[in-house]
Amino acid sequence: SLTFSNGQKGLHPISFTIEKERMVALMGPSGCGKSTLLQLLNGVYTPTQGSVSIFGLPLSTHFELLKQFIGYVPQENIVHEDLTINEALYYTAKLRLGKHVNQNELNERIDQVLGTLNINDKELRKQPINKLSGGQKKRVSIAVELLTQPKILFLDEPTSPLDPETIEEFLKSLQ
C-alpha cells in the first residue's frame, strides 16, 4: 500500500504475482491508482507498507541492479518532439547503450524495434515527432524503452491515443 506524505491514500493494500513472459492489462476508472501502482512497481515510489519484488529481489534494496531490467513509458510522451524518429532513437541509443554497442548493432536494434512497432517506414522515420499522430508518438516512446531490451516493460495508458481499429494490431505488435 501507499500513503502520501499529506495522508492521502495512494494505493490500498494489493498483492499479486505476474509470471514470466506474461502480458497483463491493468484496467479501472480514472483515479483508481493504476498509474500509482505502475510507479510503485518500477521504483518511482516506495510502498508505505509491504514491498515490491522483481525476480525474487526486493526492489527497494536492489534498485540499482534491477533498474536495468525495467522499461517504463509514462502517459505523457518521453521524447523530444522537435527531433525526427531517427534522431530520437539514435540519440537515445547512444546515451543508454553507450560504448557497449557498435554502430551496426545500434542501427540494427533501432530497425528491429521500429519494425516490431510498425513505424519503420523510411519517410515516416524522417518526420519530426511533433508531426506524428498520438498513436505514432506513443509507439516512438515505447521504441525508446525497447532499445535497451528490458525484461519488464510497464506501459501507462498505451492505447489511449489509439482508435479502436488500431488497438488490436498495436497489442499484437507488443506481444
Side-chain angles (χ1 to χ4, degrees):
S1 67
L2 175 69
T3 303
F4 292 109
S5 59
N6 65 3
Q8 182 181 0
K9 194 68 145 170
L11 191 68
H12 292 280
I14 184 171
S15 179
F16 59 92
T17 300
I18 300 173
E19 295 180 25
K20 184 179 179 180
E21 299 180 5
R22 296 285 181 203
M23 181 184 288
V24 176
L26 185 61
M27 299 172 70
S30 290
C32 74
K34 300 180 302 291
S35 295
T36 301
L37 176 58
L38 286 180
Q39 291 174 337
L40 275 165
L41 294 175
N42 70 42
V44 172
Y45 294 135
T46 301
T48 308
Q49 292 184 323
S51 65
V52 173
S53 293
I54 296 178
F55 309 130
L57 299 172
L59 183 60
S60 61
T61 56
H62 293 87
F63 181 74
E64 287 304 312
L65 170 67
L66 294 171
K67 73 178 181 180
Q68 67 185 318
F69 301 110
I70 299 171
Y72 173 58
V73 180
Q75 290 180 32
E76 60 279 347
N77 290 329
I78 59 171
V79 291
H80 195 290
E81 294 214 352
D82 290 333
L83 297 175
T84 65
I85 294 175
N86 280 336
E87 292 167 338
L89 267 71
Y90 177 79
Y91 295 137
T92 300
K94 290 296 278 183
L95 287 169
R96 291 190 180 182
L97 303 174
K99 297 176 182 167
H100 304 298
V101 177
N102 69 41
Q103 190 65 42
N104 287 337
E105 291 173 304
L106 186 139
N107 290 334
E108 286 175 19
R109 193 173 294 187
I110 290 171
D111 290 345
Q112 186 261 332
V113 166
L114 292 176
T116 298
L117 295 171
N118 296 321
I119 52 173
N120 201 21
D121 177 80
K122 285 183 181 183
E123 290 306 310
L124 181 65
R125 288 175 62 161
K126 296 176 187 175
Q127 293 293 314
I129 293 168
N130 61 18
K131 301 288 187 202
L132 302 178
S133 71
Q136 290 169 326
K137 288 178 184 179
K138 182 61 84 169
R139 288 175 192 235
V140 173
S141 291
I142 292 169
V144 162
E145 288 301 306
L146 289 177
L147 285 173
T148 60
Q149 301 175 327
K151 301 290 183 203
I152 299 169
L153 181 62
F154 296 112
L155 305 174
D156 198 347
E157 301 280 349
T159 61
S160 63
L162 303 178
D163 59 88
E165 294 82 34
T166 309
I167 291 175
E168 184 176 356
E169 180 265 324
F170 174 71
L171 293 175
K172 284 182 182 176
S173 72
L174 284 177
Q175 282 184 315

